[in-house]
Each structure stands twice: as C-alpha cells, then as structure tokens.
Amino acid sequence: MSLVSEEFPEEVPPRAEEITIPADVTPERVPTHIVDYSEAEQSDEQLHQEISQANVICIVYAVNNKHSIDKVTSRWIPLINERTDKDSRLPLILVGNKSDLVEYSSMETILPIMNQYTEIETCVECSAKNLKNISELFYYAQKAVLHPTGPLYCPEEKEMKPACIKALTRIFKISDQDNDGTLNDAELNFFQRICFNTPLAPQALEDVKNVVRKHISDGVADSGLTLKGFLFLHTLFIQRGRHETTWTVLRRFGYDDDLDLTPEYLFPLLKIPPDCTTELNHHAYLFLQSTFDKHDLDRDCALSPDELKDLFKVFPYIPWGPDVNNTVCTNERGWITYQGFLSQWTLTTYLDVQRCLEYLGYLGYSILTEQESQASAITVTRDKKIDLQKKQTQRNVFRCNVIGMKNCGKSGVLQALLGRNLMRQKKIRDDHKSYYAINTVYVYGQEKYLLLHDISESEFLTEAEIICDVVCLVYDVSNPKSFEYCARIFKQHFMDSRIPCLIIAAKSDLHEVKQDYSISPADFCRKHKMPPPQAFTCNTADAPSKDIFVKLTTMAMYPEDHYRDRLSRDTGNPDRIENLRKIWVFLKTAFHARLRCMCTCNRCTFCICQNFLNSDLLQSVKNKIFTAVLNRLRARVAEWGAMLLADDEGSITHQVHAVSSVEDSIFMESSHGPLFLEARHVTQADLKSSTFWLRASFGATVFAVLGFAMYRALLKQR
C-alpha cells in the first residue's frame, strides 16, 4: 500500500487487495501483479493455490521480532518447498520490514539462512512507514524472475553451472568470427553492440582486459579475450549481483530461462504456399561462405573431419551423417569441398526448410548478419503454374526423380553427377549410400543446382515420388527386362503430365540386348514425342560425362519448350529442327535471364549484345546465311553464263573466276566480323546491274531494321 500511495496508511487492513503495476512504470518494462496473503484471513488451501501461480515469493518478517524471523525457516520456506519441484524452486526474497523501529541490522541473523537455502535470491531491509527500500524491494522481486540466479550459478561451489558454461561457450565461438580462439577488439565491440546496443570505448576495453589479467593468467592472449577470460567475466557479473548482464547476452542469442534455445528463435514463422519451393538467397550463401572459410584452417577448400567437428561444436548434436559424403562433392580424401558444403545446405533448404532454419539458428545467422530471424535467408519461389504460364522460371534448384528397376544403374547416375566413375563408386559402403545427389550444372552460362532423387522400385509411385521438375527414366541396356518397367511407369504417371521426361540407356559400355517390349526404346521415344534414349556409362577412366545432366536441367528450366511439337510436324529435317530449338532456347535465355558478361554487371545492353554477337550459335547462323548467299550467286552466274555462251565463251570463265573471288572474300570476312561483300573482282558490267544493287539495298535495309528492333527490345528488357 505504501508503494502505490507513496505514503504510509493510518489504518492498515489485515490484507491488501491485488495490485497490478503497469509495464511502463517499471524498469524492466514488465507488468507485475502483487498478491497479498494474510494468515489470519485465508486458509492453507488458498495459500497453496497462490504459491502454484506465483513467479516469485517475498517472505516478510519484522526485524524487531525474533519469532517472526524464526518462522521464516520453521514454517514458510518448508511450506513453499513442499509445493514446488526440487529442480524448479521458486525464487525467494527475504524482506525485513519495520527497520525504522531498530537501530541495528538483522543481516547477521539472515545470512546463515541465505547460505542454507539457495533459492533465496536476496534479502532487503525496508520500512513501509518511511518508504525506505520499498520500490527497491519490488525491483529485486522482478529481477529474481527475469534474471534468476539458479540456472546460472551454484553458490555452494561458487562457480557457474554446466548448462550456463555450455551456452556461453557457444556464444563465444559464434562471436569469434576469425576462429582464432580469442575475441579481439573488433569482435568485442561487435558483441557489445549487438547485445547492449552500444560499443565500448578503447579505454573501457582495456580496463576489462586488465580486470581479467589481474585474476587469471590465461584470460587474455595476443590482446584478445580467451574463452577462460570470457567465462570469468560472466562469473564475476553474477557474483556481484549483475545477473541481468549475463541474461541479456543469453537472451540475445536465443536462450530461455532454462538455458534452452527457444522455438521462436530456432523456427521463425515462414509461410510457404503450395507448389512453391524454398531456396537460399544471396545473403545466406555469403554467410555460409564466411562460415566455411572460418573453419577451413588449412585453406585447402575442403573441411577435414576435425574441421567439420569444430564447425558443429555450436550444435547440440552432429547434424550430418556419413551419407552426406556420397550426396555432395568431395575431394580425393573424401572431405566435403566448398562446393559440396554449399550444395548440402541447398539440399537441406529444398527438402526440409525448417531444419535449415534450425541449423542456421545454431550458427547464429540472425545475430551475425543482424537480421530479425533466419527466415530472411530463405527465398520462397513463386508458384510453378506461373512459371509455366510465363515460360520462364526464377528458380535455381531443380529436382529430378531417377526411376528404374533395381540394379539398372540409378546409383551410378547419381554418383556421376558428383564426378565419380565406377571405380570410385565401388569404394562406397552400403550403409553410407545416399538416395540423393546434388551439384551445380551450367545451362547457357547460368549456374543451377540439379538435385537427383533415387526412387525405389515399386509397382505404383506415391504422389510425393511424382512431384519433381524433370523425370529421368533409367534402363540397363544389358538387361532385356529393364526397359519394360520404365515404359510402364511412364504410361501410368507421366504420359499425360506436363513433366518432361528423358530416358537414359545406362551401362552403354556393355553389350546391348533387345528389350522384351513391343517396340524398341528409340521407337517408344519417337511415338511419345520424347528425345531419343541417351547412352550413358560411368565405367570411364576419368569423371563421367555431364551431358545428360545439362539436358535434364535444361528440360527442367524450359518444360514448355515446343521442341516435341516441332519434331512431330517436321520429322523429315531433324537438323533444321535442332537448329530452331537452339535458336529459340538461346533467345529465351538472352531475353529472360541475366547472362555472364565482361563487365560482370549481367544486365547492361552492351554486354548482352556482345554475348549474343560473339556466341557460337550466331556465328553458325551467320555462316549458313553466307552459304545461302553464295549458292544464290552461283545460280545467278550459271544463268548469266548460259545467256552469254553463244557470244563469248571466255566471258563465262571470267564470271566464274569473279564468283570464286567473291566467295573467298565473304568467308574471310565472316570469320573476323560483320558481312562486307568485297566485289572488286566482279566485272564492271555486273556492278552496274540494277538488279544487283536493288538486292543489295533491300538486304541492307532488312538487316538495319532487324538490328534496330533487337537493340530496342534489349534496351526495354534492361
């Protein structure tokens, strides 16, 4: 009542009504409910109910009444402890009231009690009449709840508890960004800023180090704070009653009152609509790159078992098993490379984004990048239906389900993506095999991730086994019964779907036998408007070819490519069809994707035009145009020769010689730059021909209009 009215009431009732202190008037910004208990008015059952709802209990005694002090240990503390678990005792505050009536302190009597009961946080002597230490009493009560001593410190042993040491050790390793075992001035300042929103002055930093040096010899090394020194500082804070300092640090790094990482910290809210996938964004890859560099101590671009173990010290468990080494790229010694490290994180994000968020939380992503949560590291792609409508995709990870009979070579296909031939695959233990493989594939200059999933043989596929971006149907050319399974699965699940399919003729190094099916694999592909079967083998001296993986990724990127329709309309000219397909895919890439360029901007019109003009495809098209022009000139010369044969036989020879000179000039220019028809060897009569100049003018106009239109289109795209 003195706290609320700020004056001592003349008439004090046996029990005060419940009082609520708003959050905005308390230092900790937490609302507080104060419940009074009167033994004269209330029963033990009411007392037990209030104890079960309390966060902290203040036991009040009169400093001038010895019986009141004795009752603290004879009645109140045993009664409270009976109603609470031993491992989760309520914090207690001893309050010595009526200090205005005596001139001495009761602390000598209270100290043995505090040493006997570790749940007692502190003791405060106050006077409700003089308003002495009244507000301080409730401040300490709040502090006992928000910053309890129990989880942090053991008074009997006078040292921090193991759980607290473990949490602070993780915090130290996260803050040690160069992994040299010490916190230098820059790392200490960053730590101070993210925890307390203010950096330390250089002199304050030096004072902290001097305090550590004074008490322990190995607390400071090379002008940096060691783990021992870091733990000593927090022990000192707790012993001096500054629990809030340690708790502020712990809560900033995601810990709750039981020193466990909170679900809100590990699993932030992330909404993923149907038909959308999850990928890591650019900032996440930069963070993972710095994490890899931090632990790659020997700078060999691979993580040894010891380096990987050191990385996972901030985890409560080892998250990766031995199968990871057969899921991503490794070096000759079987150590995960930098590319394999990023690939594994990409795989985890795609298959189980919640686990990825958890792992990033252990690494301290949101703290080191100063983001709100790990959710900022994830990109949720748009609905695949939109990609199909727009005939372009923004995705960087594509899933390919590999389907086939047992022992048909599916595992070989997966391991070939990682660059492993048959000899290396034979060294893989059965219990270390993986049903996934992921690696980067370049498609028209763009780096994409291809994720292969080995689907076990079964009569019918589940809905989850059908969902993918492209299907790889594998059969063994040496097994006559192998193709029938692929054909049956295709007809059951993919014949009427919009998922592109590619058939792989595995083990092509072996003798090919006729398949026990009504038609051959090639005829089957032709009938269903699919690309022909792709021969594949991993029984090579070097790494197997990656051509099929480029084709699979391309099909996944452009599922609505009209190649099959064109093939069905014009089966008589496959070369023309293939050239048209290449032109179409190239133009889509040029207009709808950012190409690699000399100035590395990937956007400017100049760079896109340069890539377009310098491409092998355009050079091939240009050469075909030159060939067509030459054929036309030859036909024209033949006509001229027929007309002039009766008048002058030598004129024909001269004309043919002129055409030969023009042909040489054209091919010389086509290999070095734009088309310039060098006609200095052509006869004077031909140069004056109106038909010749009319055709030349028309051709130049067409080229100019097309060039200007392409420039405007590229400029608009930018």
Side-chain angles (χ1 to χ4, degrees):
M1 295 178 70
S2 296
L3 175 73
V4 175
S5 61
E6 296 186 350
E7 61 179 7
F8 185 72
E10 293 296 332
E11 295 183 4
V12 181
R15 175 177 171 270
E17 296 296 328
E18 181 174 333
I19 299 170
T20 299
I21 304 176
D24 54 357
V25 299
T26 61
E28 299 294 342
R29 317 295 295 178
V30 175
T32 304
H33 303 277
I34 304 173
V35 180
D36 190 15
Y37 170 75
S38 171
E39 192 175 21
E41 290 190 353
Q42 293 177 279
S43 65
D44 287 348
E45 287 187 5
Q46 291 175 307
L47 175 60
H48 297 159
Q49 184 179 1
E50 295 295 349
I51 290 174
S52 64
Q53 297 176 357
N55 300 113
V56 59
I57 296 176
C58 297
I59 300 177
V60 185
Y61 65 91
V63 295
N64 62 342
N65 187 336
K66 188 176 184 305
H67 175 69
S68 176
I69 297 175
D70 293 339
K71 205 171 181 180
V72 170
T73 55
S74 63
R75 172 163 171 76
W76 299 123
I77 294 180
L79 186 146
I80 294 169
N81 288 343
E82 285 176 5
R83 299 293 168 178
T84 56
D85 295 332
K86 185 177 181 180
D87 296 331
S88 58
R89 292 281 169 83
L90 287 173
L92 304 178
I93 306 292
L94 299 185
V95 182
N97 194 23
K98 302 184 180 182
S99 63
D100 59 294
L101 299 180
V102 297
E103 296 180 356
Y104 56 86
S105 173
S106 63
M107 283 301 178
E108 291 185 3
T109 309
I110 296 300
L111 279 175
I113 300 176
M114 293 180 64
N115 292 330
Q116 180 182 357
Y117 297 96
T118 57
E119 57 268 31
I120 299 176
E121 290 286 330
T122 188
C123 177
V124 182
E125 289 190 342
C126 64
S127 171
K129 187 173 185 179
N130 295 342
L131 305 182
K132 176 186 175 183
N133 289 341
I134 297 299
S135 59
E136 287 80 359
L137 156 65
F138 293 102
Y139 166 74
Y140 283 117
Q142 280 187 331
K143 185 178 175 181
V145 177
L146 300 176
H147 310 125
T149 308
L152 306 181
Y153 189 74
C154 181
E156 292 88 351
E157 299 178 6
K158 296 184 178 179
E159 61 181 26
M160 286 190 296
K161 291 185 175 180
C164 182
I165 294 175
K166 182 179 178 181
L168 291 174
T169 301
R170 171 181 169 267
I171 292 171
F172 178 89
K173 290 190 68 66
I174 290 174
S175 304
D176 182 15
Q177 298 184 43
D178 56 8
N179 201 29
D180 63 349
T182 62
L183 298 182
N184 56 38
D185 288 357
E187 291 166 343
L188 282 171
N189 255 319
F190 180 80
F191 173 82
Q192 177 76 12
R193 181 167 58 81
I194 62 173
C195 291
F196 305 102
N197 298 319
T198 178
L200 284 173
Q203 186 57 48
L205 278 173
E206 198 59 35
D207 292 343
V208 169
K209 294 176 189 176
N210 289 334
V211 170
V212 176
R213 286 192 190 101
K214 183 179 177 181
H215 289 84
I216 54 176
S217 58
D218 52 353
V220 178
D222 299 327
S223 299
L225 194 65
T226 65
L227 176 60
K228 271 192 167 184
F230 185 75
L231 295 176
F232 168 77
L233 275 179
H234 283 281
T235 304
L236 199 63
F237 291 146
I238 296 170
Q239 289 175 344
R240 295 184 178 181
R242 293 176 56 188
H243 313 84
E244 64 273 16
T245 302
T246 301
W247 275 113
T248 300
V249 171
L250 289 168
R251 289 189 174 123
R252 178 66 182 89
F253 280 78
Y255 289 94
D256 60 13
D257 291 348
D258 297 323
L259 298 185
D260 294 322
L261 291 171
T262 64
E264 293 78 16
Y265 171 79
L266 290 177
F267 307 103
L269 181 63
L270 182 67
K271 295 182 179 179
I272 306 173
D275 292 330
C276 297
T277 60
T278 48
E279 301 175 2
L280 294 171
N281 59 30
H282 177 65
H283 299 290
Y285 280 118
L286 288 179
F287 172 78
L288 292 172
Q289 178 183 348
S290 65
T291 302
F292 183 92
D293 293 339
K294 172 181 175 180
H295 295 277
D296 184 18
L297 300 179
D298 53 8
R299 296 293 181 262
D300 62 347
C301 291
L303 294 179
S304 67
D306 289 338
E307 290 171 341
L308 204 60
K309 185 178 179 181
D310 182 56
L311 186 152
F312 291 140
K313 281 184 178 178
V314 297
F315 286 64
Y317 55 87
I318 301 297
W320 294 354
D323 60 316
V324 172
N325 294 58
N326 299 313
T327 305
V328 298
C329 291
T330 59
N331 62 9
E332 296 77 7
R333 305 175 71 176
W335 298 353
I336 295 176
T337 62
Y338 169 70
Q339 184 58 52
F341 182 77
L342 297 183
S343 297
Q344 178 62 25
W345 279 96
T346 303
L347 173 73
T348 305
T349 306
Y350 187 92
L351 296 179
D352 191 350
V353 68
Q354 292 298 320
R355 180 166 295 184
C356 177
L357 293 173
E358 178 187 359
Y359 292 172
L360 288 174
Y362 293 141
L363 291 174
Y365 174 84
S366 61
I367 296 159
L368 294 178
T369 59
E370 300 183 73
Q371 298 291 329
E372 184 177 351
S373 71
Q374 298 89 268
S376 62
I378 307 300
T379 295
V380 179
T381 63
R382 68 187 181 187
D383 193 327
K384 192 175 181 180
K385 297 185 184 69
I386 300 177
D387 287 348
L388 294 174
Q389 291 172 1
K390 294 183 176 292
K391 298 180 181 178
Q392 59 172 318
T393 182
Q394 298 174 339
R395 302 187 183 196
N396 293 309
V397 184
F398 298 95
R399 178 170 181 164
C400 171
N401 285 353
V402 183
I403 301 173
M405 288 181 64
K406 189 176 181 181
N407 299 323
C408 69
K410 293 182 294 180
S411 298
V413 173
L414 266 68
Q415 293 302 310
L417 177 64
L418 308 179
R420 297 170 184 167
N421 59 19
L422 186 61
M423 190 64 68
R424 290 187 63 183
Q425 294 177 27
K426 289 181 178 179
K427 299 178 182 179
I428 300 175
R429 292 170 47 179
D430 290 340
D431 55 340
H432 290 178
K433 285 185 177 180
S434 172
Y435 288 96
Y436 292 95
I438 183 170
N439 200 2
T440 54
V441 177
Y442 284 91
V443 178
Y444 302 114
Q446 301 178 80
E447 184 184 63
K448 302 294 182 181
Y449 281 95
L450 179 62
L451 167 60
L452 300 182
H453 182 201
D454 183 352
I455 304 297
S456 300
E457 179 185 358
S458 62
E459 289 298 319
F460 295 95
L461 302 183
T462 63
E463 185 176 351
E465 293 173 334
I466 297 174
I467 298 174
C468 59
D469 300 300
V470 62
V471 175
C472 177
L473 298 165
V474 183
Y475 76 95
D476 181 0
V477 298
S478 63
N479 182 358
K481 301 184 181 298
S482 183
F483 180 73
E484 187 274 335
Y485 178 79
C486 295
R488 176 158 47 86
I489 291 297
F490 175 81
K491 289 182 176 181
Q492 286 176 353
H493 301 286
F494 303 108
M495 187 167 65
D496 298 324
S497 74
R498 301 175 72 177
I499 302 175
C501 299
L502 185 68
I503 292 182
I504 304 297
K507 304 181 183 180
S508 60
D509 58 304
L510 302 178
H511 175 67
E512 184 174 0
V513 299
K514 183 180 179 181
Q515 296 294 320
D516 294 342
Y517 194 68
S518 57
I519 58 177
S520 68
D523 292 339
F524 182 88
C525 293
R526 194 177 300 112
K527 176 182 178 181
H528 294 284
K529 303 174 186 177
M530 297 167 61
Q534 306 293 307
F536 174 79
T537 179
C538 54
N539 189 11
T540 57
D542 300 322
S545 172
K546 289 193 175 182
D547 290 345
I548 64 166
F549 305 119
V550 175
K551 290 180 181 179
L552 287 168
T553 310
T554 305
M555 294 169 70
M557 289 175 63
Y558 307 108
E560 289 300 302
D561 196 342
H562 300 293
Y563 172 63
R564 298 183 212 169
D565 294 337
R566 291 196 299 274
L567 187 63
S568 63
R569 288 197 299 265
D570 194 359
T571 56
N573 193 353
D575 290 338
R576 176 173 169 239
I577 299 299
E578 182 66 16
N579 288 335
L580 287 173
R581 186 186 73 84
K582 288 182 178 179
I583 293 171
W584 169 244
V585 173
F586 181 85
L587 289 175
K588 284 203 297 185
T589 305
F591 280 96
H592 299 303
R594 296 187 300 178
L595 303 178
R596 293 175 176 267
C597 60
M598 293 178 292
C599 68
T600 70
C601 70
N602 291 326
R603 293 175 184 161
C604 68
T605 306
F606 171 77
C607 295
I608 295 178
C609 290
Q610 285 295 322
N611 280 312
F612 182 75
L613 293 174
N614 294 332
S615 67
D616 293 338
L617 179 60
L618 187 62
Q619 295 297 329
S620 175
V621 173
K622 191 162 43 171
N623 288 336
K624 289 183 181 294
I625 294 174
F626 295 155
T627 303
V629 171
L630 287 175
N631 291 336
R632 186 64 178 172
L633 283 174
R634 287 195 185 99
R636 191 62 177 167
V637 168
E639 292 176 6
W640 291 341
M643 289 187 294
L644 297 176
L645 183 61
D647 297 332
D648 189 358
E649 184 177 356
S651 176
I652 297 175
T653 305
H654 186 74
Q655 291 283 356
V656 173
H657 174 72
V659 171
S660 178
S661 300
V662 172
E663 179 178 352
D664 294 340
S665 174
I666 289 174
F667 275 105
M668 177 184 69
E669 292 294 335
S670 68
S671 61
H672 296 287
L675 173 62
F676 294 100
L677 296 178
E678 189 177 325
R680 56 177 175 267
H681 298 292
V682 183
T683 62
Q684 190 69 20
D686 292 334
L687 290 175
K688 292 182 179 180
S689 171
S690 60
T691 304
F692 176 84
W693 286 110
L694 180 61
R695 290 176 180 272
S697 301
F698 179 77
T701 304
V702 170
F703 271 96
V705 171
L706 288 175
F708 182 74
M710 182 174 293
Y711 172 77
R712 291 295 300 273
L714 292 173
L715 188 64
K716 182 178 180 181
Q717 179 67 18
R718 180 189 176 193

